[in-house]
């Protein structure tokens, strides 16, 4: 049985690539005329690779799940070893709040800086910010698509996908040309959960895709962590429910690293802004949480010009992030 | 019996000399106006006839033909009433023929013979000066405008007064002192409490004539801030003021008895305004909001709500400071060098950036909202400021600095703008690093460099230092807008 033939056959018939598909007569006819090598050649001409499940490089964690894919199509420069490296899935709502975006980015940044591969689904919202955070830290990140490997979905993330491919891998169980369909996203989520040693849910409504990922991770016996949110926010209902069920509380990248048994790297040697500088004052003004530029200026006793300059300095150093005029550390 | 007078017809912002000939022939009494006169101009017949009767003058019982030459130029409006009346009166010898020499006339007649001012008298007067006329007979209200053009006005209230003047029964009215500047009430920045970052951005925008985009939840004072921009801009110099006054004269927006408009104009068209209303146009091209905001501020409140064609049409004036309107009758160019200020919410429901509200927009809806603004247009905004909702406590703060104080700094910075400010090596390094780290396009690089130069000029610094670049970077597109 050719795994590649199964993957292509299932995609062409718009069905899930389950092993039982190989028992049909249509499959036998298809497999008889399918030329593996020619297909792989064509893939590589378009810049894609194929990693079969039987390949020793296939990530063992993914191979161990209940319903592993026949293999993965890969796009990107990185070695297939990144798929087997210690990794964490960071997932959450597509329409996340500024809080979720900030937390996802910050967590991914901290995890990537500690050498952990950040896995997510390239979706809008939390997924996208998780990839960005990992890229910020110069780390490795893996995006799992719910459509053909040649597609960028959502289109708005085409540039992000290219950046992920340059610094890590974009993977999919679907061959080129497969259009995104609603049922493929839960299937994609099992690969996200399957690739990662632990899954962190950042913001999730009740009955959301991120909770599906968390459930899949639980079924496979992986760790599930959740970021607590405001109890009044609908975007936190899913994560807070996970916490009540016993998910590990995430308050920072250290909590995730502890679950993985990875020692956090000692603080960066540059150690933040010089004491006494406007940047240090601005950073201190952010100690109590998010603040607007005007609030920071008032608390740090800086004029608006110096505040703006100090905050940009901190942004470039990756110490604070800004969204909609609100700054967070 | 033939007589002629001169007037000046508007063509866009220019005027062309029009000769008004009146010919009285024997025959059945009739009155015809020829020479491509539009409807308002054809209706002059009735006004002129009644006006002459009301002035207790004789309506000649002849066949009267009035020709407006050159005949190929379309004549529009009611400003021809007075010159037509004078030509008819001169042809019937009720006004001495020779007395009309050296005079031009413009004005609309009321049925009782009173004279009404018409739009564009300033432009007509400038045409009269170029055409060699010494004096312009006009409505009393238009006197100051005529004086601005350097022509001696003969302001009259009634047709009878004009006739008396030409008959030498009445001395020409004394030359008035040049009119003072028009006083325009501009709201003061002192009314704005808090919002220090936005005030600072407004000052930089004024100092560098940068286009400014304010983004934030509704009701936090975006429009309030934008309305205060003209108050901190330098006052217009003579030439600029004359340009602005001319445009407002043509649009009929000049306040009565006014002189030069020295305050930078402020225009805020609603987002339901048509392209022609914003850009200018119409069968007889008239200046639109973009031209009325020439040398001043054009505020587009709720920028994404404007129809795409309007926004795209604004790209020409943003690029070269002019609007070209092509019509069958020719092409008219209006100046439109304005400073653009846009406001927008962060999302269609308006809750983003507001800690007290939760955004309910779906990602698709959010994308659609942002897609309404093309990259090309967003790139025109040198300064983008995200204004989150301030906490209640801030609004009780002290009143802010007054506009006059800010304007002094702006004027000083503009005076230094000519200096060639170079970036230091450190500042260059910072800019390069920022382009790598932040989502900045190639144009974004140039924008930041421009703004940094303005900030350095405001600070009276000899070079563009890293802190200037850093501050300029704070006013880039917020990430939400930049991530395509």
């Amino acid at each position: 049985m050719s795994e590649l033939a199964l993957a292509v056959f299932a995609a062409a018939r718009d069905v899930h690539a389950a092993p039982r598909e190989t028992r049909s007569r249509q499959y036998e006819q298809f497999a008889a005329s399918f030329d593996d090598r020619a297909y792989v050649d064509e893939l590589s001409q378009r810049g894609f690779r194929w990693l079969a499940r039987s390949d020793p490089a296939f990530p063992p964690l993914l191979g161990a799940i209940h319903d592993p894919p026949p293999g993965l199509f890969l796009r990107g420069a990185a070695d297939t070893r990144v798929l087997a490296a210690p990794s964490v899935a960071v997932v959450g709502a597509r329409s996340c709040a500024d809080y979720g975006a900030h937390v996802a980015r910050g967590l991914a940044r901290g995890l990537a800086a500690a050498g952990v591969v950040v896995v997510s689904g390239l979706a809008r919202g939390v997924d996208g910010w998780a990839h960005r955070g990992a890229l910020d830290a110069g780390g490795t990140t893996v995006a799992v698509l719910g459509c053909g490997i040649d597609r960028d979905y959502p289109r708005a993330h085409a540039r992000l996908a290219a950046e992920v491919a340059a610094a890590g891998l974009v993977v999919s169980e679907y061959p080129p040309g497969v259009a995104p369909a609603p049922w493929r996203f839960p299937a994609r989520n099992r690969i996200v959960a399957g690739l990662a040693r632990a899954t962190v849910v950042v913001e999730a409504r009740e009955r959301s895709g991120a909770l599906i990922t968390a459930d899949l991770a639980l079924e496979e016996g992986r760790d599930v962590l959740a970021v607590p949110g405001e109890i009044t926010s609908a975007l936190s209902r899913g994560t807070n429910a996970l916490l009540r069920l016993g998910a590990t509380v995430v308050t920072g990248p250290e909590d995730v690293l502890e679950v993985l048994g990875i020692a956090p790297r000692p603080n960066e040697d540059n150690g933040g802004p010089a004491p006494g500088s406007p940047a240090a004052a601005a950073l201190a003004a952010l100690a109590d949480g998010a603040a607007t530029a005007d609030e920071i200026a008032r608390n740090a006793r800086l004029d608006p010009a110096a505040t703006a300059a100090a905050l940009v300095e901190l942004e470039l150093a990756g110490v604070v992030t800004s969204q909609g005029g609100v700054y967070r550390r | 019996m033939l007589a002629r007078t001169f007037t000046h017809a508007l063509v866009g912002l220019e005027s062309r000399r029009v000769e008004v000939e009146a010919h009285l022939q024997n025959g059945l009494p009739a009155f015809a106006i020829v020479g491509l006169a539009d409807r308002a101009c054809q209706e002059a017949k009735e006004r002129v006839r009644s006006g002459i009767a009301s002035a207790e003058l004789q309506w000649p019982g002849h066949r009267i033909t009035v020709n407006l030459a050159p005949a190929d130029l379309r004549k529009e409006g009611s400003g021809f009433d007075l010159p037509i009346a004078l030509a008819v009166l001169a042809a019937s010898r009720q006004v001495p023929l020779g007395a009309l020499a050296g005079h031009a006339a413009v004005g609309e007649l009321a049925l009782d013979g009173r004279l009404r001012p018409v739009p564009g008298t300033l432009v007509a007067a400038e045409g009269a000066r170029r055409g060699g006329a010494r004096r312009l007979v006009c409505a009393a209200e238009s006197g100051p405008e005529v004086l601005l053009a350097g022509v001696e006005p003969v302001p009259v209230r009634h047709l009878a007064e004009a006739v008396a003047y030409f008959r030498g029964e009445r001395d020409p009215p004394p030359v008035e002192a040049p009119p003072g500047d028009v006083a325009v009430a501009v709201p003061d920045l002192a009314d704005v409490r808090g919002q220090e970052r936005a005030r600072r951005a407004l000052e930089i925008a004024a100092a560098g004539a940068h286009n400014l985009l304010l983004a934030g939840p509704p009701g936090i004072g975006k429009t309030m801030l934008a309305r205060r921009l003209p108050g901190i801009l330098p006052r217009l110099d003579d030439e600029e003021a004359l340009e602005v006054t001319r445009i407002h004269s043509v649009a009929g927006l000049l306040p009565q008895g006014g002189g030069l408009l020295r305050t930078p104009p402020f225009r805020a068209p609603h987002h339901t305004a048509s392209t022609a209303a914003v850009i200018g146009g119409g069968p007889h091209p008239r200046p639109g909001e973009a031209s009325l905001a020439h040398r001043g501020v054009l505020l587009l409140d709720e920028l994404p709500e404007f129809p795409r064609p309007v926004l795209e049409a604004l790209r020409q004036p943003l690029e070269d400071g002019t609007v070209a309107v092509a019509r069958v009758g020719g092409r008219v160019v209006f100046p439109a060098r304005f400073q653009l200020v846009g406001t927008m919410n962060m999302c269609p429901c308006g809750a983003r950036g507001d800690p007290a509200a939760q955004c309910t927009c779906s990602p698709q809806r959010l994308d659609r909202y942002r897609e309404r603004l093309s990259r090309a247009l967003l790139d025109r905004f040198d300064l983008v400021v995200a204004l989150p909702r301030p906490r209640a406590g801030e609004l009780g703060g002290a009143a802010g600095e007054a506009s006059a104080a800010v304007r002094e700094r702006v004027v000083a910075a503009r005076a230094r703008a000519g200096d060639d400010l170079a970036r230091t090596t450190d500042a260059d390094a910072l800019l390069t690093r920022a382009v790598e780290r932040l989502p900045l396009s190639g144009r974004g690089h140039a924008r930041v460099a421009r703004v940094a130069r303005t900030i350095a000029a405001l600070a009276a610094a000899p070079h563009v230092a890293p802190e200037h670049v850093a501050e300029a970077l704070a006013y880039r597109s917020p990430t939400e807008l930049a991530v395509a």
Side-chain angles (χ1 to χ4, degrees):
Chain A
M1 178 194 90
S2 156
E3 290 145 328
L4 181 56
L6 173 58
V8 176
F9 173 74
R13 304 225 324 169
D14 226 15
V15 294
H16 186 58
R20 68 182 146 76
E21 294 294 334
T22 58
R23 292 197 288 269
S24 71
R25 174 146 344 130
Q26 288 98 324
Y27 175 73
E28 277 168 24
Q29 284 172 358
F30 177 83
S33 62
F34 186 77
D35 185 349
D36 272 36
R37 189 166 299 168
Y39 197 90
V40 169
D41 283 347
E42 199 191 315
L43 277 179
S44 66
Q45 268 172 27
R46 300 180 59 183
F48 307 129
R49 286 177 280 165
W50 165 249
L51 180 63
R53 195 165 91 213
S54 53
D55 194 308
F58 193 80
L61 275 177
L62 183 59
I65 67 170
H66 154 71
D67 175 23
L72 290 175
F73 294 90
L74 313 178
R75 167 165 36 130
D79 191 89
T80 48
R81 266 176 302 191
V82 304
L83 294 173
S87 58
V88 169
V90 178
V91 296
R94 272 169 300 162
S95 54
C96 64
D98 291 350
Y99 168 73
H102 171 74
V103 169
R105 192 173 194 169
L107 276 179
R109 195 182 271 166
L111 291 170
V116 175
V117 174
V118 175
V119 181
S120 198
L122 199 72
R124 295 165 209 268
V126 168
D127 285 21
W129 291 110
H131 291 303
R132 273 190 200 105
L135 293 170
D136 284 348
T140 311
T141 179
V142 172
V144 186
L145 302 180
C147 56
I149 188 68
D150 59 334
R151 297 269 188 128
D152 289 319
Y153 184 86
R155 287 258 296 281
H157 280 178
R159 189 172 149 192
L160 179 63
E163 287 173 29
V164 169
L169 282 175
V170 176
V171 308
S172 172
E173 67 172 307
Y174 306 117
V178 174
W183 66 269
R184 297 196 197 272
F185 292 104
R188 179 267 313 264
N189 290 350
R190 87 185 194 284
I191 299 179
V192 173
L195 277 171
R197 299 231 318 240
T199 295
V200 180
V201 185
V202 175
E203 261 186 328
R205 294 172 193 273
E206 279 172 306
R207 288 192 295 278
S208 64
L211 289 194
I212 296 178
T213 312
D215 282 345
L216 291 164
L218 277 177
E219 279 170 24
E220 303 302 338
R222 311 281 165 85
D223 288 303
V224 172
L225 303 88
V227 175
E230 286 176 33
I231 57 172
T232 53
S233 163
L235 276 168
S236 304
R237 219 154 277 161
T239 44
N240 288 344
L242 279 177
L243 291 172
R244 218 173 44 170
L245 291 175
T248 308
V249 177
V250 177
T251 59
E254 311 78 39
D255 294 341
V256 185
L257 294 174
E258 193 184 311
V259 166
L260 296 179
I262 297 175
R265 293 234 175 119
N267 269 344
E268 305 255 315
D269 39 337
N270 60 7
S277 66
L283 194 60
L286 275 169
D288 292 339
T292 67
D294 290 346
E295 288 162 0
I296 295 165
R298 216 159 301 132
N299 293 337
R301 296 181 193 287
L302 294 170
D303 67 60
T307 312
L311 286 170
V312 168
E313 211 176 289
L314 292 170
E315 271 186 275
L316 285 174
V319 186
V320 307
T321 60
S322 76
Q323 250 188 350
V326 177
Y327 290 82
R328 292 183 168 88
R329 59 192 294 183
Chain B
M1 285 179 286
L2 182 75
R4 59 169 65 90
T5 55
F6 291 97
T7 189
H8 290 265
L10 278 184
V11 182
L13 284 189
E14 302 294 314
S15 66
R16 277 183 70 183
R17 191 157 105 127
V18 173
E19 199 174 330
V20 181
E21 301 167 311
H23 191 205
L24 307 190
Q25 294 164 281
N26 290 325
L28 281 179
F31 185 19
I33 297 179
V34 297
L36 278 189
D38 79 345
R39 203 174 152 128
C41 200
Q42 283 293 347
E43 287 168 351
K45 282 182 215 166
E46 310 305 325
R47 288 190 297 268
V48 169
R49 204 196 307 252
S50 295
I52 286 181
S54 302
E56 297 187 335
L57 296 158
Q58 198 72 42
W59 181 253
H62 292 82
R63 180 184 167 80
I64 307 170
T65 309
V66 169
N67 180 34
L68 306 176
D72 64 337
L73 177 74
R74 282 180 188 281
K75 324 291 185 309
E76 55 151 340
S78 51
F80 296 95
D81 291 4
L82 179 62
I84 291 174
L86 289 176
V88 169
L89 290 171
S92 57
R93 302 294 182 259
Q94 299 181 73
V95 166
L97 265 182
L100 292 174
H103 289 76
V106 62
E108 176 185 320
L109 280 178
L111 295 185
D112 59 3
R114 274 183 305 115
L115 216 55
R116 293 192 168 125
V118 292
T121 306
L122 172 58
V123 177
E126 285 176 328
R129 192 193 56 215
R130 277 196 300 275
R134 277 182 298 113
R135 289 179 174 170
L136 180 71
V137 188
C138 62
E141 294 89 337
S142 303
E145 264 180 75
V146 175
L147 215 52
L148 283 179
V151 176
E152 195 179 316
V154 182
V156 291
R157 270 166 228 296
H158 196 276
L159 180 60
E161 273 182 45
V163 172
Y165 162 75
F166 282 117
R167 286 177 178 167
E169 295 164 3
R170 184 168 166 264
D171 285 337
V175 179
E176 301 167 39
D181 299 332
V182 177
V184 179
V186 179
D188 200 280
L189 258 186
D191 308 336
V192 179
R193 287 162 199 267
Q195 300 287 23
E196 285 85 3
R197 166 167 278 198
R199 294 175 64 110
R200 169 78 179 160
L202 207 62
E203 182 175 333
I204 297 169
H210 299 294
N211 297 330
L212 171 69
L213 179 61
L214 299 168
I220 58 159
K222 301 184 293 286
T223 312
M224 183 183 180
L225 280 158
R227 288 190 179 279
R228 280 154 179 79
L229 179 55
I232 61 170
L233 288 173
R235 306 202 19 106
L236 303 179
D237 66 27
D238 289 350
E239 197 180 322
E240 294 167 341
L242 196 60
E243 279 173 16
V244 171
T245 311
R246 194 178 293 139
I247 297 168
H248 284 248
S249 167
V250 168
L253 290 176
L254 218 50
Q256 266 202 10
L260 283 177
L261 290 169
R262 290 266 183 196
T263 314
F266 177 86
R267 303 295 301 181
H270 190 252
H271 57 71
T272 52
S274 67
T275 312
V278 174
I279 302 302
H284 302 285
R286 295 207 168 278
E289 296 289 338
S291 296
L292 290 170
H294 179 61
R295 303 278 178 206
V297 177
L298 181 69
L299 168 66
L300 298 185
D301 219 347
E302 305 296 345
L303 190 65
E305 302 296 335
F306 277 84
R308 193 74 182 249
V310 172
L311 295 179
E312 295 303 311
L314 277 174
R315 281 167 59 185
Q316 187 204 358
L318 282 171
E319 194 65 46
D320 55 17
T322 60
V323 166
V325 181
R327 287 291 178 270
V328 182
R331 186 167 173 274
V332 174
V333 176
F334 293 118
R337 191 168 297 285
F338 53 82
Q339 193 171 349
L340 183 62
V341 179
T343 74
M344 64 182 288
N345 295 330
M346 305 250 201
C347 66
C349 81
R352 248 162 217 252
D354 186 349
Q358 186 136 41
C359 173
T360 54
C361 303
S362 68
Q364 290 79 7
R365 198 158 160 235
L366 207 55
D367 279 356
R368 271 202 305 279
Y369 186 68
R370 285 170 190 159
E371 275 161 17
R372 284 193 221 157
L373 302 177
S374 67
R375 267 250 67 105
L377 185 72
L378 277 180
D379 271 338
R380 311 279 175 202
F381 290 100
D382 286 353
L383 294 157
V384 180
V385 184
L387 299 174
R389 182 180 294 287
R391 287 170 218 216
E394 283 180 50
L395 301 175
E401 206 178 358
S403 291
V406 181
R407 187 166 60 217
E408 269 177 40
R409 289 199 296 272
V410 168
V411 171
R414 288 229 177 160
R416 282 189 289 267
D419 307 355
D420 212 9
L421 292 176
R423 279 195 298 279
T424 62
T425 338
D426 285 354
D428 248 348
L430 176 62
L431 190 52
T432 314
R433 195 154 67 94
V435 171
E436 284 164 10
R437 287 296 307 262
L438 304 168
L440 271 182
S441 62
R443 272 203 189 153
H445 181 280
R447 275 202 314 273
V448 171
R450 266 200 305 276
V451 175
R453 206 176 311 128
T454 305
I455 294 173
L458 264 174
H463 303 285
V464 178
E467 64 259 32
H468 304 139
V469 174
E471 194 191 345
L473 283 165
Y475 311 120
R476 69 185 189 279
S477 291
T479 348
E480 303 97 298
L481 297 173
V483 174

